[in-house]
Amino acid sequence: FLYHYCSLSTFKSIIDNKSIWLSDIRKSNDSLELQWIMGQCQIHMLNAWTNYVRTVQQERGMEIVTLKHFEQFDELYNLAKTYDAEDDTKNWVFCLSEKADDLGQWRGYADDGKGIAIGFNSAVLKRINYVGDSIRTTSVDFKFDQVHYSKKDIDSFFDNTVGLSKITVEMSPEDVLQHIKRALGFSYIFAPLYKSDKFKDEKEWRIVYSMFFGDLENGLKPGISNAKNKFSDILTLEKYAFTQKGDTLVSHLEMGLPQIKRAIHSITIGPKAKITPMDVRLYLMSIGLLDDSNDKSIEINQSTISYR
């Protein structure tokens, strides 16, 4: 089970509308994390290029790699460096944690302990990856996965998933630059799933929908047509809208959960919340998610943390 910590008003919106919002990560409290992963991308790009150049000049001669190739690499390297301004890819995310009834999560994400932690059944959420496989293109991605924090995971991502470890001295500089360009593109799309190990205690999972910014500018809208979604009875992703947040506008995608009772395992009331388990039970009964006061299909718990 995975837990989404939120305010009481967000909890009620999720239940009433049978949906969750994937919000633009660039407008979230964690926006700086994208700059962090692009910094890691720079390091691995530079290491891959430097190792290739050094080896090829030793084994094949200085004339193989020209000034033009160095200029092309510099252009790619600077794209990673200026990612925050370029905004090449839009990522919308919904965040969950493995940690149930956790003080840090209550403080950071649930209205300072006055909110709710919704326990989701990850088996239902894993259907997202089947849908993602069916709609994935070079400019669109949809996935559900855990966030990776360790240096080993970061190195494996760039070396194996992206393929920088496949660069060899026999390759032409043009082919090597294509590998590096691919690393940059993969970093844009997978950035929300890699964070500094300073955040590892959160044990986070995320639903992520990614789309190239240029497609948005050309008038294409994010989302998934139900005609392409064989699990539309379980999840939908068609509504794209904006909401005001302070002095800005934040875009979101609404992921419908038509069978929300299957998706929710439990509801935990925050340590500083003023509502009671009976309040929540009666509310769920009023909208048909529980049959009566004896229906235990959705667990309703009170936080056991002493937090005032």
Side-chain angles (χ1 to χ4, degrees):
F1 303 112
L2 298 171
Y3 302 88
H4 178 70
Y5 290 77
C6 59
S7 66
L8 183 60
S9 61
T10 297
F11 159 70
K12 189 172 185 301
S13 177
I14 289 173
I15 301 300
D16 284 348
N17 298 304
K18 295 183 179 180
S19 66
I20 57 178
W21 282 11
L22 281 64
S23 296
D24 182 357
I25 194 173
R26 303 299 291 274
K27 301 295 181 69
S28 75
N29 295 334
D30 295 331
S31 60
L32 291 179
E33 74 194 37
L34 299 182
Q35 292 174 265
W36 180 85
I37 188 61
M38 296 315 297
Q40 298 299 306
C41 181
Q42 284 180 271
I43 293 170
H44 284 82
M45 289 168 64
L46 184 59
N47 287 341
W49 178 248
T50 302
N51 290 337
Y52 170 75
V53 170
R54 182 184 297 116
T55 306
V56 81
Q57 288 180 348
Q58 290 174 350
E59 299 186 14
R60 297 175 61 189
M62 295 289 290
E63 70 280 358
I64 300 296
V65 184
T66 67
L67 178 60
K68 179 190 72 172
H69 297 130
F70 279 99
E71 290 173 344
Q72 291 173 340
F73 171 78
D74 286 343
E75 183 179 345
L76 292 173
Y77 185 80
N78 287 328
L79 280 176
K81 188 175 182 179
T82 59
Y83 171 68
D84 189 56
E86 293 291 333
D87 207 2
D88 183 271
T89 301
K90 276 288 186 186
N91 291 293
W92 293 270
V93 303
F94 181 78
C95 304
L96 306 106
S97 172
E98 295 179 15
K99 304 179 81 170
D101 199 11
D102 178 72
L103 181 58
Q105 296 286 321
W106 287 123
R107 282 176 170 164
Y109 304 107
D111 195 16
D112 193 30
K114 296 187 286 291
I116 296 287
I118 305 173
F120 282 90
N121 184 345
S122 62
V124 173
L125 298 182
K126 285 177 181 177
R127 301 292 180 92
I128 289 167
N129 291 325
Y130 294 108
V131 177
D133 289 342
S134 67
I135 60 96
R136 185 170 292 111
T137 67
T138 55
S139 63
V140 172
D141 195 31
F142 185 42
K143 51 189 172 288
F144 168 63
D145 199 357
Q146 65 188 119
V147 174
H148 305 279
Y149 306 96
S150 72
K151 184 180 184 302
K152 181 179 178 181
D153 287 338
I154 297 293
D155 291 344
S156 177
F157 170 68
F158 285 105
D159 291 342
N160 303 319
T161 304
V162 175
L164 290 182
S165 64
K166 296 178 182 178
I167 293 175
T168 66
V169 68
E170 290 80 16
M171 295 171 63
S172 69
E174 289 79 10
D175 287 341
V176 173
L177 288 167
Q178 282 301 312
H179 268 72
I180 291 174
K181 184 176 181 180
R182 184 169 177 260
L184 188 60
F186 267 67
S187 297
Y188 290 150
I189 293 174
F190 284 87
L193 293 177
Y194 290 86
K195 296 176 69 172
S196 165
D197 62 3
K198 294 178 181 178
F199 297 95
K200 64 183 179 181
D201 288 343
E202 293 188 344
K203 294 186 177 180
E204 190 174 357
W205 286 65
R206 284 178 169 177
I207 302 169
V208 184
Y209 183 95
S210 305
M211 183 176 182
F212 281 172
F213 191 73
D215 289 341
L216 284 172
E217 290 184 309
N218 290 330
L220 296 178
K221 292 184 178 180
I224 300 169
S225 166
N226 283 343
K228 297 181 179 180
N229 179 6
K230 63 181 180 180
F231 295 109
S232 59
D233 61 323
I234 296 174
L235 65 93
T236 63
L237 194 70
E238 290 189 302
K239 296 181 181 179
Y240 168 57
F242 284 76
T243 188
Q244 180 184 350
K245 182 179 179 182
D247 57 358
T248 189
L249 293 173
V250 181
S251 63
H252 65 267
L253 300 175
E254 187 171 352
M255 189 177 113
L257 296 167
Q259 301 181 41
I260 195 169
K261 188 171 182 177
R262 288 180 59 185
I264 293 180
H265 161 263
S266 64
I267 293 167
T268 303
I269 300 168
K272 294 172 68 176
K274 295 183 179 180
I275 59 172
T276 67
M278 184 53 70
D279 291 332
V280 174
R281 188 173 299 281
L282 291 174
Y283 162 56
L284 296 182
M285 288 168 57
S286 74
I287 58 176
L289 288 188
L290 292 181
D291 296 331
D292 52 44
S293 60
N294 295 316
D295 187 346
K296 308 297 183 185
S297 56
I298 297 177
E299 295 181 9
I300 301 173
N301 308 307
Q302 182 78 50
S303 170
T304 59
I305 291 177
S306 177
Y307 172 35
R308 296 291 180 265

